[in-house]
């Protein structure tokens, strides 16, 4: 049993898809499938129940899941201890993020970090909030940007910084709302909506916001891709509730929401003990907002 195989197993368990998991771990799907088959042969058990439409953990897979997380967390801790001895010549940082991150230019920051510390390996995970929280707790992730209420986080996690951003109704340029100074959510009962993927922090906040406003959305399309969602809204196929900055970046009209407090909180989160990894400390120096800015 190899650490690589366990990493592949966790990716499939998290994504419930060999295609998406292969993308996450940066291997071709055939290699990922072969790795899982080899692990199953070594353990003498089927880890996933596969159908043409879904991939689910088998009883054996569910039993292996916490063990695999524990083994990989111990391996990451060992690497952190070695990197502490070696300085930043070597090391590893695992960072989780959300698609709709407007707080910071993350690719630019990671490029600067890689240039300054070329020996440090960075892995980046994009996943629903619950999965990233579990990955933080198990040690798969060192840091993560989460779109959720700070008071909703488990006690084992620590908020390093947070930012609140307003939400708005995003509309295409030809939609009648595009010229309005504001709109009440309750007045949009007849409008079609496009929804971002279930399980994300944004979707949870939007569900709560619409419920409080008495709006039963007529959701006509759901997507996991921000670019597709923006294109659907732009072409008039539905409205969406998005952070104002995201709507503007996508070229959509952001119509202010009247009558309800409409915002979401994005937090940079870690778990206790992150300071033992010098690579994490170095990355945090770049991720923290500049007080002078």
């Amino acid at each position: 049993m190899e650490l690589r195989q366990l990493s592949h197993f966790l990716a499939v368990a998290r994504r419930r898809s060999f295609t998406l998991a292969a993308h996450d771990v940066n291997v071709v799907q055939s290699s990922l499938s072969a790795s899982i088959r080899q692990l199953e042969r070594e353990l003498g058990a089927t880890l996933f129940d596969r159908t043409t439409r879904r991939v689910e953990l088998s009883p054996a897979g569910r039993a292996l899941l916490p063990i695999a997380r524990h083994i990989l967390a111990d391996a990451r801790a060992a690497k952190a201890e070695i990197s502490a001895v070696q300085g930043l010549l070597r090391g590893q940082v695992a960072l989780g993020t959300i698609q709709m991150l407007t707080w910071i230019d993350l690719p630019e920051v990671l490029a600067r970090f890689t240039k300054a510390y070329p020996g440090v390996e960075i892995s980046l995970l994009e996943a629903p909030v619950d999965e990233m929280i579990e990955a933080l707790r198990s040690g798969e992730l060192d840091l993560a940007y989460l779109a959720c209420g700070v008071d909703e986080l488990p006690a084992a996690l620590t908020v390093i910084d947070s930012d609140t951003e307003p939400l708005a109704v995003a509309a295409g340029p030809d939609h009648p709302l595009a010229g309005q100074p504001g709109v009440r959510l309750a007045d949009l009962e007849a409008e079609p909506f496009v929804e971002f993927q279930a399980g994300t922090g944004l979707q949870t906040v939007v569900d709560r916001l619409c419920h409080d406003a008495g709006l039963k959305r007529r959701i006509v399309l759901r997507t996991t891709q921000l670019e597709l969602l923006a294109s659907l809204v732009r072409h008039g196929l539905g409205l969406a509730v998005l952070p104002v900055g995201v709507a503007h970046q996508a070229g959509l009209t952001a119509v202010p929401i009247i009558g309800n407090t409409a915002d979401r909180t994005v937090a940079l989160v870690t778990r206790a003990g992150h300071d033992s990894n010098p690579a994490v400390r170095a990355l945090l120096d770049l991720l923290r907002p500049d007080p002078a800015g």
Side-chain angles (χ1 to χ4, degrees):
M1 186 188 308
E2 300 176 0
L3 293 178
R4 172 183 56 83
Q5 293 172 321
L6 293 179
S7 177
H8 292 172
F9 164 73
L10 287 182
V12 178
R14 179 171 55 246
R15 285 295 207 170
R16 300 294 196 271
S17 163
F18 279 80
T19 301
L20 296 176
H23 182 269
D24 284 352
V25 296
N26 198 30
V27 299
V28 296
Q29 185 172 336
S30 58
S31 296
L32 179 73
S33 297
S35 176
I36 296 297
R37 285 196 300 270
Q38 179 62 30
L39 180 60
E40 290 176 325
R41 283 195 294 269
E42 291 178 7
L43 295 175
T46 299
L47 299 176
F48 295 100
D49 293 328
R50 304 163 175 86
T51 69
T52 55
R53 302 181 67 178
R54 292 188 62 81
V55 176
E56 297 292 345
L57 283 166
S58 69
R62 289 193 294 272
L64 177 62
L65 187 60
I67 299 171
R69 284 172 171 159
H70 183 73
I71 291 172
L72 288 177
D74 284 349
R76 288 183 53 77
K79 289 183 179 180
E81 291 297 325
I82 298 301
S83 66
V85 174
Q86 295 179 320
L88 282 173
L89 296 177
R90 297 176 62 86
Q92 189 177 50
V93 183
L95 174 66
T97 189
I98 55 178
Q99 281 196 52
M100 299 187 189
L101 182 63
T102 58
W103 178 3
I104 190 172
D105 186 348
L106 189 58
E108 186 273 335
V109 169
L110 296 182
R112 282 195 285 131
F113 181 85
T114 300
K115 184 176 181 180
Y117 308 107
V120 176
E121 176 188 344
I122 297 179
S123 59
L124 194 63
L125 171 68
E126 179 190 297
V129 170
D130 289 347
E131 293 181 17
M132 287 204 287
I133 287 176
E134 184 55 40
L136 282 166
R137 296 175 67 173
S138 68
E140 288 179 72
L141 289 178
D142 298 299
L143 303 161
Y145 284 101
L146 302 178
C148 62
V150 172
D151 57 350
E152 300 171 6
L153 293 172
L157 302 184
T158 300
V159 175
I160 298 169
D161 215 328
S162 63
D163 186 47
T164 299
E165 54 186 340
L167 301 176
V169 175
D174 299 325
H175 194 281
L177 275 180
Q180 298 298 314
V183 64
R184 294 182 183 276
L185 289 176
D187 295 336
L188 300 176
E189 194 81 29
E191 292 284 346
F193 276 82
V194 179
E195 184 176 61
F196 200 54
Q197 74 182 87
T200 63
L202 176 64
Q203 183 251 1
T204 303
V205 171
V206 171
D207 283 350
R208 186 181 304 147
L209 175 64
C210 292
H211 177 270
D212 292 345
L215 170 63
K216 281 190 173 182
R217 285 176 297 160
R218 182 165 62 91
I219 299 170
V220 295
L221 294 161
R222 290 179 172 88
T223 178
T224 61
Q225 296 298 318
L226 175 58
E227 294 82 1
L228 178 56
L229 182 143
S231 182
L232 294 169
V233 174
R234 193 179 300 114
H235 285 85
L237 295 172
L239 302 174
V241 179
L242 297 174
V244 170
V246 172
H248 287 161
Q249 287 177 4
L252 304 174
T253 299
V255 185
I257 295 171
I258 301 172
N260 292 85
T261 301
D263 55 40
R264 72 159 182 175
T265 298
V266 176
L268 177 59
V269 179
T270 188
R271 68 185 187 284
H274 71 83
D275 286 339
S276 65
N277 185 340
V280 173
R281 293 200 304 270
L283 181 57
L284 274 176
D285 288 340
L286 297 180
L287 292 177
R288 285 190 178 100
D290 183 357

